[in-house]
């Protein structure tokens, strides 16, 4: 099976530097973060900057940060965006009102211990009250996502590896957190017991991105070793268990990944300037889209596609442009 994806439209404005994170929200807007320090929200139907309802007269987009923004996590209801800067400053932004509900300086030494747990990657708990962060120490830190106590540490879980935590992500059911590292390992944390229950070691190089299936049973990882690997997190990682498929075809680092809302297709962006769509059941690429630069972030439209359509996705990369892509016959 071969699928065709068409460039429906691009954002009417561009970021002044690369787009490093992107998310298509339940409310059919797209949120993007950039190396230029800015976060933007877009109307998917037009590519124009998002305009709130007339009742929200004081809506504001946060001013650009002095350093690049490296991690983005949007709540399942599309109402809040959690994002993080290069030095570890975390923000919680209300996408409907424009209010910044919380900021936290993760790089500041903790009182009493003098320790720092500066964050690089952040992920909102889909249940809403907490978020996870990972960074230079290779551990997972759970913090409050409530506006009154935003950033307050609830727990730190040690991975046992003092290696940089590249990406962390809550599963859609909120029961697990995936953590990837600079040495190619992927750890699975059981949230209730706060213990790591699986460690997958199939990648040879840093894992840049991870993406969960809608049922929270499968995890797709994207690595600098040019491969994506699909894991069944219900299977023990012992004796190479858990890895159920490997997707090869990119000629350079794979920088980002996502899984479609119906669980049928994987999506990846690469430093080879291409985007690939993968049929998960067939274990094969079914579409390749050539872009103009490195593709740093991809995100499927979260609603199930219409009958006869594969759906639509959005991408962001080196050129600072947010781009909407649709399968033949689909309408954004």
């Amino acid at each position: 099976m071969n699928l065709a994806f068409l460039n429906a439209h691009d954002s009417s404005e561009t970021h002044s530097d690369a787009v490093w994170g992107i998310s298509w929200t339940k409310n059919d807007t797209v949120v993007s973060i950039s190396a230029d320090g800015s976060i933007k929200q877009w109307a998917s139907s037009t590519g124009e900057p998002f305009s709130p309802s007339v009742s929200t007269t004081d809506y504001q987009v946060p001013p650009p940060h002095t350093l690049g923004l490296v991690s983005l996590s949007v709540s399942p209801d599309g109402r809040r965006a959690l994002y993080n800067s290069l030095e570890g400053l975390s923000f919680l932004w209300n996408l409907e009102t424009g209010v910044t509900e919380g900021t936290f300086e993760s790089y500041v030494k903790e009182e009493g211990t003098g320790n720092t747990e500066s964050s690089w990657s952040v992920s909102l708990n889909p249940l809403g009250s907490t978020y996870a962060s990972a960074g230079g120490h290779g551990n997972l830190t759970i913090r409050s996502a409530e506006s009154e106590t935003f950033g307050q540490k609830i727990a730190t879980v040690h991975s046992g590896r003092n290696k940089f935590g590249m990406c962390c992500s809550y599963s859609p059911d909120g029961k697990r957190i995936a953590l990837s590292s600079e040495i190619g390992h992927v750890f699975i944390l059981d949230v209730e017991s706060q213990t790591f229950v699986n460690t997958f070691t199939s990648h040879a190089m840093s894992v840049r991105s991870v993406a969960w299936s809608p049922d929270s049973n499968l995890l797709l990882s994207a690595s600098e070793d040019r491969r994506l690997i699909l894991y069944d997190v219900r299977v023990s990682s012992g004796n190479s268990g858990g890895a159920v498929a490997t997707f090869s075809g990119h000629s350079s680092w794979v920088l980002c990944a996502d899984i479609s809302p119906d669980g049928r297709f994987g999506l990846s962006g690469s430093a080879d300037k291409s985007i690939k769509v993968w049929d998960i059941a067939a274990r094969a690429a079914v579409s390749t889209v050539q872009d103009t630069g490195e593709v740093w972030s991809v995100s499927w439209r979260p609603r199930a596609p219409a009958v006869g359509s594969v759906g639509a996705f959005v991408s962001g990369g080196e050129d600072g442009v947010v781009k909407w892509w649709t399968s033949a016959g689909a309408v954004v």
Side-chain angles (χ1 to χ4, degrees), residues 224-252:
E224 293 177 8
D225 66 11
R226 302 181 295 178
R227 299 179 299 156
L228 297 104
I229 295 179
L230 186 70
Y231 307 94
D232 186 334
V233 299
R234 299 165 297 180
V235 177
S236 171
S237 56
N239 298 319
S240 300
V244 296
T246 298
F247 300 93
S248 300
H250 283 294
S251 60
S252 187

Side-chain angles (χ1 to χ4, degrees), residues 134-135 137-139 159 161-168 178-187 199-201 203-210 221-224:
H137 292 283
N139 303 318
S159 67
R161 303 276 183 168
N162 189 25
K163 299 297 181 181
F164 199 96
M166 298 296 296
C167 179
C168 65
L179 168 66
S180 69
S181 79
E182 64 176 331
I183 58 172
H185 292 179
V186 177
F187 306 92
T199 302
F200 302 115
T201 59
H203 282 295
M205 297 174 69
S206 177
V207 176
R208 289 271 180 171
S209 175
V210 294
S221 59
S223 172
E224 293 177 8

Side-chain angles (χ1 to χ4, degrees), residues 141-162:
T141 303
I142 311 299
R143 298 187 182 276
S144 169
E146 302 288 350
S147 57
E148 299 82 5
T149 56
F150 182 72
Q152 181 177 305
K153 187 168 75 170
I154 297 170
T156 296
V157 187
H158 300 277
S159 67
R161 303 276 183 168
N162 189 25

Side-chain angles (χ1 to χ4, degrees), residues 289-331:
V289 174
Q290 204 61 43
D291 209 336
T292 58
E294 296 177 346
V295 182
W296 282 91
S297 190
V298 290
S299 177
W300 283 104
R301 190 181 201 175
R303 67 176 61 174
V307 176
S309 169
V310 176
F313 63 86
V314 67
S315 68
E318 188 176 6
D319 60 8
V321 181
V322 176
K323 302 175 183 180
W324 282 259
W325 306 89
T326 63
S327 61
V331 178

Side-chain angles (χ1 to χ4, degrees), residues 12-192:
S12 61
E13 304 172 1
T14 65
H15 288 279
S16 62
D17 207 334
V19 175
W20 277 350
I22 207 161
S23 180
W24 197 327
T25 79
K26 183 181 179 180
N27 297 327
D28 221 29
T29 66
V30 165
V31 180
S32 59
I33 59 170
S34 171
D36 67 11
S38 69
I39 182 169
K40 298 178 183 289
Q41 186 174 195
W42 312 90
S44 292
S45 58
T46 62
E48 297 287 337
F50 171 72
S51 296
S53 62
V54 292
S55 61
T56 311
T57 56
D58 57 350
Y59 179 88
Q60 293 184 346
V61 175
H65 189 55
T66 52
L67 296 176
L69 304 180
V70 294
S71 182
L72 171 68
S73 176
V74 174
S75 61
D77 61 9
R79 297 180 61 189
R80 299 194 301 172
L82 173 70
Y83 59 101
N84 196 67
S85 69
L86 272 168
E87 82 274 31
L89 183 58
S90 304
F91 304 84
L92 187 65
W93 182 37
N94 189 308
L95 296 171
E96 295 180 328
T97 66
V99 174
T100 298
E101 297 181 346
T103 59
F104 178 68
E105 300 172 334
S106 67
Y107 47 82
V108 174
K109 291 183 178 181
E110 297 177 350
E111 292 185 14
T113 67
N115 296 330
T116 60
E117 293 178 348
S118 184
S119 57
W120 174 265
S121 176
V122 291
S123 176
L124 273 173
N125 185 336
L127 305 180
S129 61
T130 61
Y131 72 92
S133 65
H137 292 283
N139 303 318
L140 268 178
T141 303
I142 311 299
R143 298 187 182 276
S144 169
E146 302 288 350
S147 57
E148 299 82 5
T149 56
F150 182 72
Q152 181 177 305
K153 187 168 75 170
I154 297 170
T156 296
V157 187
H158 300 277
S159 67
R161 303 276 183 168
N162 189 25
K163 299 297 181 181
F164 199 96
M166 298 296 296
C167 179
C168 65
S169 178
Y170 267 96
S171 60
D173 63 8
K175 294 181 179 179
R176 301 181 181 95
I177 304 173
L179 168 66
S180 69
S181 79
E182 64 176 331
I183 58 172
H185 292 179
V186 177
F187 306 92
I188 305 297
L189 179 82
D190 176 80
V191 172
E192 183 177 6

